[in-house]
Amino acid sequence: MTRDAVAIGRRIRAWAPGRVNLIGDHTDYTGGLAFPMAIELGTRVIGVRGGDRVQLRSGAEPEPVDLPLHLPDPTVVEPAWGRYVAGVINEVAPATGFTGSVSTTLPVGAGLSSSAALELAVALALGFDGSPLELAQRCQAAEQRASGVPCGILDQLASANGVVGHGLLLDCTSLAITPIPIPDDVEVFVLNPGEPRRLLGSAYAERRAACEAAAALVGPLRHATLAAVESLDDDVLRRRARHVVTENARVLAFAEALRNDDLVTAGEAMWASHASLRDDFEVSTPALDALVASLRETPGVYGARLTGAGFGGCVVALARPGAIPWSSPVDASGPARLEAS
Ligand code: GLA
């Protein structure tokens, strides 16, 4: 595309938030419950539609992406960040190309869904036209195609459906979303111990497979009783399924506690969630455990837990304003959207 064409085309601005999951991890792909919050850190795509290639530069990446509108296999695209763009092109099948730039305020690879934010912003920039649920579903499929990881729909649903000042109770069976206000007298903190995430793809797939193996024995985990799960012979399957069943219950208890402004009960659910992810689901790390343990000793912190897939990434904490003075709170944002330009 020539400079003139860029100058005369209508400028598109699309923005999508990352998310922090307050509670309910490794439940989405079993049809379970989760409680994420879209955050004000996010990814913006600015540019012009036209031509027959998608060309994007990113301030966070040395190499630009330059892709045709028809590509068979996103997993072989270089540079690697272009795989997410390629996955979105495959899913959205845009009528025209796009030339522009990507900028983000999200730390990449910290477990705050930087890839989902990129997917949603690119999809909207390329002209995706559908409901927030369809946007989330297309982008989940794009993520799976791009990364080969059988991720659930948590990240994309949160980014597509954010509500200012609210967390989102997600039911990953019915795909119902219930926004619940974050009480005024509490702040959400995201703390990053800064360790690189390891083994994420293969270990994630293995955890999902274990949940499916358990479900084949006791029925869908969303409806399985704790007693049924405790009767599983295989120790690993039993612990993985126990995490899912108890985590679903904790999500409900957390949502109810927030509604009642009962921050102590909400915090208890978070500490218990971390213990379950550490001991039964085995996705924590020593650095995440140490951070959660030190927050437990910090006055004014109601609860904290690892957030997202684990194997590294961040801790989320619910605390009295100012209780964690070395960190800034994050606010709940609105949804992914096209912005006026
Ligand atoms: C990643 C996946 C989500 C979800 C979380 C764990 O963020 O993309 O679908 O499974 O891990 O809750």
Side-chain angles (χ1 to χ4, degrees), residues 1 89 96 106 124 148 159-160 163 192 200 209 219 248 296-297 302:
M1 175 172 293
I89 294 172
T96 66
L106 282 164
L124 292 173
S159 183
V163 178
N192 187 352
L200 185 53
N248 283 334
R296 199 150 196 174
E297 303 303 315
Y302 296 108

Side-chain angles (χ1 to χ4, degrees), residues 156-172:
Q156 292 82 7
L157 267 188
S159 183
N161 292 282
V163 178
V164 173
H166 291 64
L168 305 169
L169 174 59
L170 302 185
D171 180 327
C172 296

Side-chain angles (χ1 to χ4, degrees), residues 102-328:
V102 178
S103 58
T104 190
T105 51
L106 282 164
V108 173
L112 300 179
S113 296
S114 56
S115 57
L118 175 64
E119 291 147 15
L120 272 84
V122 168
L124 292 173
L126 293 181
F128 173 81
D129 187 18
S131 68
L133 175 59
E134 287 161 353
L135 175 63
Q137 288 171 323
R138 294 280 180 86
C139 289
Q140 177 198 14
E143 170 102 27
Q144 292 184 345
R145 280 186 192 234
S147 65
V149 178
C151 65
I153 200 169
L154 165 70
D155 308 344
Q156 292 82 7
L157 267 188
S159 183
N161 292 282
V163 178
V164 173
H166 291 64
L168 305 169
L169 174 59
L170 302 185
D171 180 327
C172 296
T173 295
S174 68
L175 299 176
I177 299 164
T178 311
I180 295 182
I182 304 291
D184 288 340
D185 48 349
V186 77
E187 282 177 340
V188 175
F189 292 86
V190 178
L191 303 130
N192 187 352
E195 41 172 5
R197 291 208 290 178
R198 292 212 177 85
L199 286 176
L200 185 53
S202 56
Y204 185 97
E206 190 189 290
R207 296 301 186 283
R208 183 170 178 156
C211 290
E212 283 160 8
L217 296 167
V218 298
L221 296 184
R222 174 66 185 278
H223 305 296
T225 62
L226 200 50
V229 160
E230 293 292 1
S231 74
L232 285 167
D233 288 336
D234 184 283
D235 174 61
V236 171
L237 293 195
R238 185 170 61 244
R239 288 186 295 120
R240 303 296 187 252
R242 185 166 61 201
H243 164 72
V244 172
V245 169
T246 58
E247 185 82 346
N248 283 334
R250 284 186 290 268
V251 172
L252 286 180
F254 179 87
E256 189 57 22
L258 269 203
R259 280 195 179 107
N260 297 330
D261 207 0
D262 178 357
L263 299 169
V264 171
T265 301
E268 285 305 328
M270 293 176 81
W271 302 124
S273 170
H274 184 79
S276 178
L277 287 160
R278 179 191 62 208
D279 301 335
D280 276 351
F281 221 68
E282 296 182 286
V283 294
S284 191
T285 63
L288 293 170
D289 293 343
L291 185 49
V292 169
S294 86
L295 288 165
R296 199 150 196 174
E297 303 303 315
T298 306
V301 176
Y302 296 108
R305 56 187 288 283
L306 74 81
T307 181
F311 310 105
C314 290
V315 163
V316 60
L318 200 64
R320 267 206 299 270
I324 309 181
W326 63 92
S327 176
S328 307

Side-chain angles (χ1 to χ4, degrees), residues 47-66:
V48 179
R49 289 183 194 142
D52 58 4
R53 298 189 75 80
V54 175
Q55 299 173 310
L56 290 170
R57 301 192 160 274
S58 164
E61 298 285 345
E63 295 289 324
V65 165
D66 182 356

Side-chain angles (χ1 to χ4, degrees), residues 19 21 24-29 113 151-155 204 308-309:
R19 65 98 188 93
N21 196 19
D25 272 309
H26 291 282
T27 49
D28 61 346
Y29 50 78
S113 296
C151 65
I153 200 169
L154 165 70
D155 308 344
Y204 185 97

